[in-house]
Amino acid sequence: MGVFSVKLPDVGEGIAEAELTEWHVKLGDMVREDDLLAAVMTDKATVEIPSSVSGKVIWLGATVGETIAIGSEIVRIEVEGEAHGVDDAEDEGEEPVPVTVAVPEKARQQEIARPAAIAPERDALSPASRAFAGAGPRRPEGEKPLAPPSVRLRAREAGIDLRRVRGSGPAGRITHDDLDAFQQQDDTAQPSATPAADLSVTEIKMVGLRRKIAERMAEAKAHIPHITIVEEVDVTALEDLRTRMNAEGVAGRPKLTVLPFLIRAIVKAVKEQPALNAHYDDEAEIIRQFGGVHVGIATQTPNGLLVPVIRHAETLGLYAAASELARVAEASRNGTARREELSGSTITISSLGPLGAVATTPIINRPEVAIVGVNKIAVRPHWDGQQFVPRKMMNLSSSFDHRVIDGWDAAVFVKRLKTLIETPAMMFLEG
């Protein structure tokens, strides 16, 4: 028999470490060649690590959520034949990193729900006798029920008042069997008017994409002094135009949403204010303004928030922008987006669609200096100078990095977006 060592491979140029996000095997598992062993994450790309041999897993070198250096040993597999691929760690006397295996909560409760041994006299009781013995009148005020810690924990989690449970142990001590009998009797009684308190607590370890999102959000809020401007926009004309264009139903053309129009408006606005289409490197104290407009689209996926990028939006018409938007958003949701499709944006749009609320305070996608938040469209009364008329209204909630964008410049930008959206024909004028 021999031992084969699996090391974390080079998962990308310039990547020195990766985070372990999932084990596909556990100690003692038999694996075959090409079976998946683990999944690791670098930036926002997930990489699966397969086995190159068949054998038995005898050692795991990390826990979920741990950061591992490229080239580090992560798994040892016992194989037929002589040993190969084993690191020199054993020769140097290094101890394997222990791996904690989580016990399912249900199994833990079942384990503590049974005493080590059942007293003979209790075992001889009939079910009816146990039910009768399991409950009684409330104990006198000030008299504390006798019960071991495991019984108290179980009663607390179930919302059971131990003063109502009759104990069958020595000196009236309450046992797990007494709790079983009490619950069986309680199930047949009339339902209580007051529901039992739910004292359960679930702990979820922050790993993978969720942890990356938390880190980036915390960095953005810690480094960037945000200024947010909320502006009401009349989208009645734009919605009428969008409806007519979609009604044409030309084969091969995607349906238009508000976002392609907003992308077009942003392209026009940042051409007049290039300071908004920029990155701020606060460590080097350099502002980088970009000629090309690479629009990030904040997209909710099953694993968390991603920002796929529509590159060179200044070269795209409405339908081309809509097609590219649908493509990168779908790739993000199904996990097929490439790394270059998830980075490099110069300004970002955040939209919650019909859930967009009245106003939001979007967090800037660092190192960008601006983000445009789209809120839901609603019909509201609007005073036209003579009377109130129903109009389709939408709020834009835009945040700016106040270190490099003054309030006046931010207001001019938002005002320009409002003008272009309310008069959509202006989006298509040259110059």
Side-chain angles (χ1 to χ4, degrees):
M1 303 293 288
V3 177
F4 184 85
S5 173
V6 179
K7 298 182 181 181
L8 182 62
D10 184 357
V11 292
E13 183 178 354
I15 302 299
E17 59 186 18
E19 179 190 347
L20 178 65
T21 57
E22 183 181 5
W23 279 116
H24 292 288
V25 296
K26 60 182 181 296
L27 290 176
D29 279 359
M30 300 299 297
V31 297
R32 293 178 297 179
E33 187 175 351
D34 294 330
D35 282 354
L36 292 181
L37 299 175
V40 298
M41 173 171 286
T42 62
D43 296 333
K44 293 178 180 177
T46 300
V47 179
E48 294 179 325
I49 310 299
S51 174
S52 54
V53 297
S54 298
K56 179 181 179 181
V57 177
I58 61 173
W59 180 81
L60 301 178
T63 58
V64 171
E66 186 175 341
T67 300
I68 310 168
I70 300 299
S72 296
E73 186 180 17
I74 57 173
V75 181
R76 291 179 189 167
I77 300 174
E78 187 178 64
V79 297
E80 295 289 341
E82 65 179 66
H84 48 99
V86 178
D87 196 359
D88 294 331
E90 288 186 345
D91 297 336
E92 297 173 5
E94 295 183 5
E95 291 294 329
V97 178
V99 175
T100 302
V101 180
V103 179
E105 179 66 17
K106 183 176 180 181
R108 184 188 69 81
Q109 292 179 348
Q110 290 176 345
E111 181 180 351
I112 67 171
R114 292 290 182 268
I118 300 177
E121 61 271 22
R122 290 289 297 153
D123 192 42
L125 292 176
S126 67
S129 298
R130 290 189 185 189
F132 177 79
R138 180 185 293 270
R139 283 179 170 78
E141 191 70 28
E143 182 180 338
K144 295 182 178 180
L146 297 176
S150 61
V151 171
R152 291 183 182 277
L153 173 63
R154 181 183 166 202
R156 185 164 59 249
E157 292 177 346
I160 297 174
D161 184 353
L162 286 179
R163 292 175 298 175
R164 295 292 307 275
V165 182
R166 180 175 296 172
S168 61
R173 182 179 295 270
I174 300 171
T175 67
H176 286 283
D177 276 357
D178 296 329
L179 285 184
D180 289 339
F182 180 84
Q183 288 180 307
Q184 290 173 7
Q185 184 190 45
D186 193 53
D187 289 342
T188 62
Q190 292 295 326
S192 172
T194 304
D198 186 350
L199 302 176
S200 61
V201 176
T202 302
E203 293 185 354
I204 302 173
K205 188 174 178 62
M206 291 275 283
V207 299
L209 181 57
R210 185 75 265 164
R211 187 162 78 176
K212 295 288 185 184
I213 293 172
E215 291 172 354
R216 290 184 60 83
M217 291 296 178
E219 288 175 358
K221 290 297 288 184
H223 286 78
I224 302 175
H226 285 59
I227 174 175
T228 300
I229 297 177
V230 180
E231 179 63 275
E232 188 177 52
V233 180
D234 187 340
V235 295
T236 306
L238 186 146
E239 283 293 276
D240 289 345
L241 173 62
R242 187 177 69 86
T243 300
R244 288 197 300 270
M245 294 177 72
N246 284 335
E248 291 181 0
V250 178
R253 284 184 176 177
K255 289 289 186 181
L256 294 174
T257 65
V258 173
L259 292 186
F261 291 92
L262 181 57
I263 291 171
R264 182 88 175 188
I266 288 175
V267 168
K268 296 278 288 186
V270 298
K271 185 176 181 180
E272 301 166 9
Q273 290 181 275
L276 276 299
N277 188 49
H279 288 177
Y280 177 44
D281 185 341
D282 48 11
E283 293 183 359
E285 296 184 336
I286 294 175
I287 300 173
R288 296 183 177 90
Q289 296 182 1
F290 297 89
V293 184
H294 310 305
V295 181
I297 306 294
T299 303
Q300 189 64 37
T301 75
N303 295 321
L305 183 67
L306 293 178
V307 185
V309 181
I310 299 176
R311 297 192 175 278
H312 289 290
E314 75 277 7
T315 66
L316 304 177
L318 285 178
Y319 291 108
S323 296
E324 182 65 1
L325 172 62
R327 187 190 70 79
V328 297
E330 180 61 24
S332 298
R333 294 188 182 99
N334 62 30
T336 60
R338 302 187 302 273
R339 181 181 302 174
E340 57 269 23
E341 294 175 325
L342 297 172
S343 61
S345 55
T346 56
I347 188 169
T348 293
I349 295 174
S350 174
S351 172
L352 295 176
L355 302 178
V358 175
T360 52
T361 55
I363 297 175
I364 295 170
N365 186 23
R366 188 171 179 249
E368 296 168 25
V369 299
I371 182 170
V372 178
V374 181
N375 299 118
K376 66 181 179 182
I377 297 174
V379 176
R380 304 173 193 160
H382 178 75
W383 181 254
D384 65 359
Q386 295 182 338
Q387 60 181 342
F388 283 102
V389 294
R391 305 290 290 180
K392 294 179 180 178
M393 309 298 292
M394 177 184 77
N395 287 348
L396 289 180
S397 303
S398 304
S399 296
F400 305 89
D401 187 339
H402 214 347
R403 296 173 299 178
V404 294
I405 303 298
D406 295 331
W408 175 269
D409 294 325
V412 169
F413 175 75
V414 172
K415 179 66 174 178
R416 182 57 173 158
L417 289 182
K418 173 182 172 72
T419 300
L420 291 169
I421 293 172
E422 290 187 339
T423 315
M426 295 179 65
M427 298 184 192
F428 305 97
L429 296 177
E430 295 297 330

